[in-house]
Amino acid sequence: SAVISQKPSRDICQRGTSLTIQCQVDSQVTMMFWYRQQPGQSLTLIATANQGSEATYESGFVIDKFPISRPNLTFSTLTVSNMSPEDSSIYLCSVEDLLTSRGNTEAFFGQGTRLTVV
Amino acid sequence: KQEVTQIPAALSVPEGENLVLNCSFTDSAIYNLQWFRQDPGKGLTSLLLIQSSQREQTSGRLNASLDKSSGRSTLYIAASQPGDSATYLCAVRRGFQKLVFGTGTRLLVSP
């Protein structure tokens, strides 16, 4: 399995500001994803973080609001831009397909970032 | 479009009971199914992964079964403990596409 470090674990932010969340994996992985979990809801995929190229966003999510970087096979960032109270959620990093077990397609998650926008 | 439903939405049991959580999915053409545990305000911990060719997987007190043809999976927890209290999520994958998550079952095991 993979060990995923996600920072910060929680934050309280003022509306209109931006927050960057970091995701570091202890081994190289093929796939990295970012999810959002709104209060009382299940997980919704925001985007797939692609190494060295633009992320692939799901319907309803746009790059201007959620810019994503993935400079290498072990690290990614998600920025929540121009925040409003509606952005208050848990944001989760997920990885799949460790290069040591290609094709296993098991998903592993970080501990999440609990964001409150006031 | 794949839809995943979990029943019950919430469950409260006394310590020591055996219990079953249910997961139903509408499209039986899945690649695999994964069960997760989530503690309040935290990330997800992978419990069991069942490939489409498998019928069940076991890990300690947990046993997950898969019946693709009927679109169902169950998670059996034996001899429940207060530390099992959490939300349990199932997720299915079609091919190499994204995971589709269920609605979750919130479990409370009281001492």
Side-chain angles (χ1 to χ4, degrees):
Chain A
S1 65
V3 176
I4 304 167
S5 300
Q6 195 173 326
K7 296 180 184 179
S9 59
R10 62 194 317 165
D11 208 341
I12 301 173
C13 300
Q14 297 290 323
R15 69 174 66 206
T17 63
S18 298
L19 175 71
T20 295
I21 303 168
Q22 298 181 358
C23 179
Q24 177 75 55
V25 192
D26 69 340
S27 56
Q28 293 184 324
V29 295
T30 306
M31 309 295 288
M32 295 183 79
F33 304 91
W34 288 98
Y35 287 82
R36 180 175 73 181
Q37 187 178 31
Q38 295 176 298
Q41 303 295 314
S42 193
L43 277 72
T44 300
L45 180 64
I46 296 172
T48 303
N50 301 311
Q51 189 214 351
S53 65
E54 193 172 287
T56 304
Y57 290 85
E58 296 297 307
S59 176
F61 297 96
V62 295
I63 188 171
D64 290 345
K65 177 66 176 177
F66 298 102
I68 289 170
S69 78
R70 188 177 174 193
N72 55 50
L73 292 176
T74 63
F75 185 77
S76 179
T77 66
L78 168 74
T79 299
V80 186
S81 302
N82 188 25
M83 289 184 284
S84 66
E86 291 71 35
D87 294 319
S88 299
S89 296
I90 299 173
Y91 292 86
L92 297 130
C93 170
S94 173
V95 305
E96 298 180 8
D97 284 344
L98 306 185
L99 290 185
T100 55
S101 59
R102 185 178 291 276
N104 193 29
T105 326
E106 181 173 3
F108 301 97
F109 282 79
Q111 283 303 296
T113 296
R114 190 168 200 170
L115 172 62
T116 302
V117 184
V118 297
Chain B
K1 177 187 172 186
Q2 179 72 274
E3 293 184 0
V4 183
T5 305
Q6 292 185 245
I7 295 174
L11 182 62
S12 182
V13 300
E15 181 177 7
E17 275 204 8
N18 302 323
L19 55 98
V20 175
L21 308 181
N22 297 291
C23 172
S24 300
F25 44 95
T26 54
D27 186 346
S28 62
I30 65 169
Y31 184 75
N32 61 30
L33 181 146
Q34 201 166 348
W35 282 94
F36 297 91
R37 167 192 172 131
Q38 185 177 31
D39 293 296
K42 301 293 186 180
L44 277 63
T45 299
S46 179
L47 298 174
L48 289 164
L49 171 72
I50 308 179
Q51 302 292 352
S52 62
S53 58
Q54 298 175 320
R55 302 264 319 165
E56 66 178 324
Q57 282 284 351
T58 298
S59 176
R61 293 183 294 109
L62 305 179
N63 176 277
S65 68
L66 174 63
D67 184 344
K68 260 189 17 172
S69 61
S70 66
R72 299 179 65 179
S73 176
T74 61
L75 179 66
Y76 175 83
I77 302 177
S80 58
Q81 303 170 358
D84 294 330
S85 299
T87 295
Y88 291 80
L89 294 161
C90 70
V92 300
R93 183 192 312 279
R94 180 190 174 104
F96 285 95
Q97 297 179 17
K98 63 182 179 182
L99 284 172
V100 178
F101 281 85
T103 46
T105 293
R106 191 167 60 252
L107 173 65
L108 176 64
V109 181
S110 49

